[in-house]
Amino acid sequence: EAGVTQFPSHSVIEKGQTVTLRCDPISGHDNLYWYRRVMGKEIKFLLHFVKESKQDESGMPNNRFLAERTGGTYSTLKVQPAELEDSGVYFCASSQDLTTGELFFGEGSRLTVL
Amino acid sequence: AQSVTQLGSHVSVSEGALVLLRCNYSSSVPPYLFWYVQYPNQGLQLLLKYTSAATLVKGINGFEAEFKKSETSFHLTKPSAHMSDAAEYFCAVSDPLKYGGSQGNLIFGKGTKLSVKP
């Protein structure tokens, strides 16, 4: 069974540019999460999809971030325009059964904004 | 608001020695507690979890953690460290009353990097 996959693994862009991160959850997992870790800080929740619907987006920093999950399969997280403080590692996680408390994480996409 | 504190961003132990990684939480309700591990170039993996059953929880790879409500702690231990335990460890908490019991919105500590010396 394939795990959670994220693309790209590393992206380097200049301030003001746009970047789109993609996450493919484990097949059949309705719940998909985005988290972010800024260097030296905690991993922080960004948002939660249940299928194609946003269940909770309380962690999204601002309106420069747009997350989508068309068809309830893969998800994209777009940052437009990128700022220096957006640099960090963006993790995607998925889960089918939330009662187990186990999220399956991808390896993360490292974003560097210069 | 809930928060998680992990004491020590770096911990170094000798192979065969006891591993003790500390985690304290603050929560207005008894939370669910988790330890995740991230090995180099991999995603986070669940080590163990506490969800209001037994206070001593056993996880994978010989790790265990004890929930102590009076101390608001959930420290992670392993009796004998192995070289393969070198990784970054994250303590996390979720609110069992949120989203009807959803445990997916986790609050993480800053992580502790464990080094194991031969």
Side-chain angles (χ1 to χ4, degrees):
Chain A
E1 177 183 281
V4 176
T5 56
Q6 294 187 244
F7 181 84
S9 57
H10 192 187
S11 180
V12 181
I13 62 173
E14 293 190 352
K15 175 182 173 181
Q17 289 186 321
T18 297
V19 64
T20 300
L21 310 177
R22 172 171 171 146
C23 169
D24 286 78
I26 293 173
S27 178
H29 281 194
D30 290 338
N31 296 280
L32 187 148
Y33 299 82
W34 284 98
Y35 284 82
R36 176 175 74 170
R37 188 183 192 192
V38 172
M39 188 184 301
K41 302 228 172 156
E42 304 88 340
I43 300 171
K44 288 201 171 178
F45 167 83
L46 295 179
L47 87 159
H48 169 205
F49 282 100
V50 178
K51 296 185 180 179
E52 68 275 9
S53 300
K54 292 177 184 174
Q55 176 77 14
D56 179 7
E57 52 184 328
S58 61
M60 294 288 265
N62 50 61
N63 59 11
R64 295 185 294 102
F65 288 76
L66 175 63
E68 294 180 322
R69 191 181 183 195
T70 306
T73 54
Y74 71 90
S75 174
T76 57
L77 180 65
K78 179 189 287 188
V79 185
Q80 178 182 31
E83 297 290 343
L84 299 179
E85 63 265 25
D86 301 332
S87 296
V89 181
Y90 290 77
F91 291 101
C92 177
S94 71
S95 177
Q96 180 56 15
D97 181 4
L98 290 179
T99 60
T100 67
E102 180 168 10
L103 300 186
F104 295 85
F105 282 82
E107 294 181 14
S109 290
R110 180 175 296 277
L111 172 64
T112 302
V113 183
L114 303 176
Chain B
Q2 292 181 340
S3 65
V4 176
T5 302
Q6 291 184 239
L7 292 178
S9 58
H10 288 85
V11 170
S12 181
V13 300
S14 297
E15 191 171 20
L18 170 72
V19 175
L20 170 61
L21 304 181
R22 299 178 186 274
C23 172
N24 288 84
Y25 67 92
S26 66
S27 175
S28 57
V29 297
Y32 292 160
L33 292 154
F34 308 85
W35 276 99
Y36 279 83
V37 60
Q38 185 180 25
Y39 298 103
N41 300 315
Q42 294 186 27
L44 280 75
Q45 177 183 359
L46 182 67
L47 262 183
L48 49 80
K49 63 182 180 185
Y50 166 77
T51 56
S52 73
T55 56
L56 181 62
V57 181
K58 294 186 184 299
I60 61 173
N61 301 336
F63 284 93
E64 62 181 38
E66 186 173 8
F67 171 66
K68 291 187 177 180
K69 184 178 178 180
S70 61
E71 299 177 7
T72 61
S73 69
F74 191 57
H75 302 331
L76 182 70
T77 60
K78 182 174 181 177
S80 177
H82 191 272
M83 297 295 291
S84 61
D85 294 325
E88 190 162 18
Y89 293 78
F90 297 91
C91 183
V93 63
S94 72
D95 183 348
L97 300 182
K98 203 168 187 181
Y99 311 127
S102 164
Q103 302 173 30
N105 184 341
L106 302 178
I107 296 169
F108 284 88
K110 289 188 176 182
T112 299
K113 286 187 178 177
L114 175 67
S115 301
V116 182
K117 299 175 290 187

